[in-house]
Amino acid sequence: MSLIIPTSKVKAKRPFHILSKPIGPLCNLDCEYCFYLDKTDYYPETRQFDMGDTTLEAHVKNYIESQPVGCREVTFGWQGGEPTLRGLDFFRQAVALQQKYARPGMKIINTLQTNGVLINDNWAAFLKQHEFLVGISIDGDEELHDHYRKTRSGKGSYRQVVQGLQVLQKHQVDTNVLTVIQNHNGDHGKRVYRHLKQLGVRFIQFIPIVEPEKGKGVSERSVSPAQFGQFMVDVFEEWRKGDIGKVYVSHFDNALGMHLGMPSSICVHAPQCGENLVVEHNGDVYSCDHFVYPEFKVGNINQRDYPDLIETPIQQQFSTRKPIGSQTHCQRCDQRSLCHGACPAQRIDENGELSISAKHYLCEGYYQLFSHLRPYLDAMGQCLHRGLPPLYYARFMRQN
């Protein structure tokens, strides 16, 4: 008897994004700053975190069918833990289901965030064949990377990760690097950027680590506001001098787009949250990848459609967190149009608790970054208005 997956009759009001956790929080590394490994505590009776066939099909079918009328593109994000632990057969099945349920003319995009340790020729060939965009996590050169990103046996993971990156590059898989900025590499923006370039990386995303710690505010591993701001400024100074149009840094691309009136391409700097949810291995759906806590569980995809889950009181209240925080702290900030209060998961009070009303921990760092970028964004905007590439920005820089 074959399983019949119910058809979603309800369409979402707006496009939405679901990040999938096919292996839950399980990982083959033991990175000290990882905020997801302890999510196993929410499933004390569970020993196996594989997303099953039923949940996978419910997710794929409903995610596609629930998109608004006229939606031409759907992006499936796969993350962990370490999603490659779920195995290639799982992803072959996922792609087959996507092809089965996609609307005529609809483009399906897959993104995979991995530590790279299990990437081999078989994985890379599959990812290339199905045009996956693969993000691989590297925190700098071997010394900087290995400080926190360790194997289960306590050894550094850098060499395994770089080997995985090289296999992806050999197969010409579209790849970007995600670099976590923390207290150890936070003073070395130029060093990190130069090393990523040496590895042949051309697309880079920087993520600041800010860990709540009860009674202390944030952990010692967290990057400080001053470190973060200077790190990003140092990277920008390296980038603008010779890499515009050659290397793409998400913070800078997004800032230029927003400066020109486009919506933010990353949720961190969008005016409001609430349309980027996460589905766990068993179908449980939470408000956001950074809010996988019991109070932010909105339901289960095996029981309710995504549009219904988005409209739940829990999710609707969650979507107000960012505007409330911005209204409290950002009203008079002259960089608000680029920042919009950043990620609400980093509004942490002095007791280490998430708080809507707390000032964003990295406020000063973001202010330093965007204040530094403004004159360059103005000049790059002038280039684009005249049909010139942004690399000619120097012609339009205002003289002080």
Side-chain angles (χ1 to χ4, degrees):
M1 180 177 178
S2 61
L3 178 71
I4 299 176
I5 303 294
T7 298
S8 174
K9 298 180 181 179
V10 181
K11 306 297 183 189
K13 298 176 182 178
R14 299 169 299 279
F16 63 97
H17 182 255
I18 304 293
L19 185 63
S20 313
K21 303 281 185 173
I23 197 69
L26 300 188
C27 190
N28 49 357
L29 293 185
D30 192 18
C31 304
E32 291 185 34
Y33 55 62
C34 183
F35 67 92
Y36 224 83
L37 295 179
D38 63 356
K39 301 304 180 184
T40 54
D41 296 344
Y42 296 154
Y43 303 97
E45 305 300 321
T46 301
R47 294 188 178 182
Q48 187 171 355
F49 286 82
D50 293 8
M51 180 178 283
D53 294 347
T54 303
T55 299
L56 173 62
E57 186 159 6
H59 165 55
V60 172
K61 179 179 173 66
N62 192 263
Y63 186 34
I64 291 174
E65 292 183 346
S66 298
Q67 296 293 339
V69 175
C71 179
R72 308 298 292 175
E73 185 175 289
V74 179
T75 298
F76 283 80
W78 307 97
Q79 199 167 319
E82 175 47 47
T84 58
L85 288 173
R86 189 61 183 85
L88 258 176
D89 286 343
F90 172 87
F91 287 95
R92 291 191 180 102
Q93 184 181 5
V95 169
L97 289 169
Q98 292 168 355
Q99 294 170 346
K100 176 181 177 180
Y101 291 114
R103 300 173 193 167
M106 176 178 278
K107 182 178 181 180
I108 301 294
I109 298 172
N110 284 282
T111 67
L112 177 77
Q113 184 63 41
T114 176
N115 58 37
V117 171
L118 295 181
I119 297 297
N120 56 24
D121 286 321
N122 289 337
W123 267 105
F126 168 83
L127 296 168
K128 176 62 177 178
Q129 178 187 356
H130 296 287
E131 300 180 328
F132 274 60
L133 172 62
V134 179
I136 192 165
S137 300
I138 304 176
D139 284 1
D141 56 44
E142 187 166 4
E143 188 276 324
L144 293 175
H145 176 94
D146 284 349
H147 189 78
Y148 287 132
R149 298 190 65 83
K150 299 183 184 299
T151 65
R152 289 287 178 181
S153 62
K155 297 180 181 179
S157 63
Y158 175 84
R159 296 188 181 185
Q160 292 171 277
V161 174
V162 170
Q163 182 177 358
L165 172 65
Q166 291 170 343
V167 173
L168 292 170
Q169 291 171 332
K170 180 180 73 172
H171 286 264
Q172 298 182 322
V173 177
D174 288 338
T175 307
N176 64 42
V177 161
L178 186 152
T179 296
V180 171
I181 310 172
Q182 19 78 3
N183 71 323
H184 184 70
N185 68 1
D187 293 325
H188 305 287
K190 290 183 179 180
R191 174 178 163 186
V192 170
Y193 179 74
R194 289 172 179 171
H195 185 72
L196 295 180
K197 280 181 56 182
Q198 289 173 4
L199 293 175
V201 175
R202 294 297 175 262
F203 296 86
I204 306 171
Q205 182 180 8
F206 292 105
I207 304 290
I209 184 71
V210 178
E211 296 178 307
E213 187 166 325
K214 292 192 182 298
K216 295 184 178 180
V218 301
S219 73
E220 293 181 356
R221 289 185 291 262
S222 300
V223 64
S224 73
Q227 275 185 311
F228 173 66
Q230 193 60 52
F231 183 103
M232 293 304 302
V233 167
D234 288 346
V235 170
F236 179 80
E237 286 299 304
E238 283 288 298
W239 174 80
R240 74 173 180 84
K241 292 173 182 176
D243 293 331
I244 297 175
K246 300 176 183 178
V247 179
Y248 300 88
V249 180
S250 61
H251 265 96
F252 308 152
D253 289 348
N254 186 66
L256 179 58
M258 293 182 71
H259 183 71
L260 297 174
M262 302 175 189
S264 178
S265 61
I266 52 179
C267 62
V268 171
H269 297 301
Q272 189 166 334
C273 297
E275 294 170 1
N276 292 278
L277 297 88
V278 59
V279 60
E280 281 289 341
H281 64 287
N282 66 342
D284 286 346
V285 180
Y286 292 85
S287 295
C288 171
D289 185 34
H290 292 277
F291 287 84
V292 178
Y293 302 106
E295 61 267 34
F296 295 103
K297 179 181 171 182
V298 298
N300 189 289
I301 189 55
N302 292 302
Q303 300 164 1
R304 300 180 69 179
D305 291 342
Y306 280 125
D308 291 338
L309 297 175
I310 293 172
E311 296 300 325
T312 57
I314 292 175
Q315 189 64 9
Q316 290 303 299
Q317 184 177 9
F318 173 79
S319 70
T320 68
R321 295 181 71 90
K322 192 168 191 176
I324 290 174
S326 298
Q327 186 70 16
T328 303
H329 295 283
C330 311
Q331 222 173 357
R332 299 180 180 178
C333 179
D334 55 11
Q335 302 304 327
R336 183 177 182 179
S337 63
L338 294 180
C339 182
H340 289 294
C343 180
Q346 295 172 344
R347 290 191 179 275
I348 301 167
D349 66 21
E350 58 187 11
N351 295 316
E353 300 287 347
L354 294 176
S355 173
I356 297 177
S357 59
K359 182 181 177 181
H360 195 282
Y361 173 74
L362 293 175
C363 177
E364 287 81 2
Y366 278 116
Y367 188 85
Q368 179 184 1
L369 169 62
F370 291 128
S371 297
H372 186 85
L373 293 188
R374 278 289 184 185
Y376 297 98
L377 299 179
D378 286 336
M380 290 177 186
Q382 291 293 326
C383 287
L384 293 172
H385 285 311
R386 289 168 169 78
L388 296 171
L391 62 89
Y392 293 108
Y393 71 89
R395 299 182 185 182
F396 304 101
M397 288 292 291
R398 295 180 180 178
Q399 300 298 321
N400 294 328

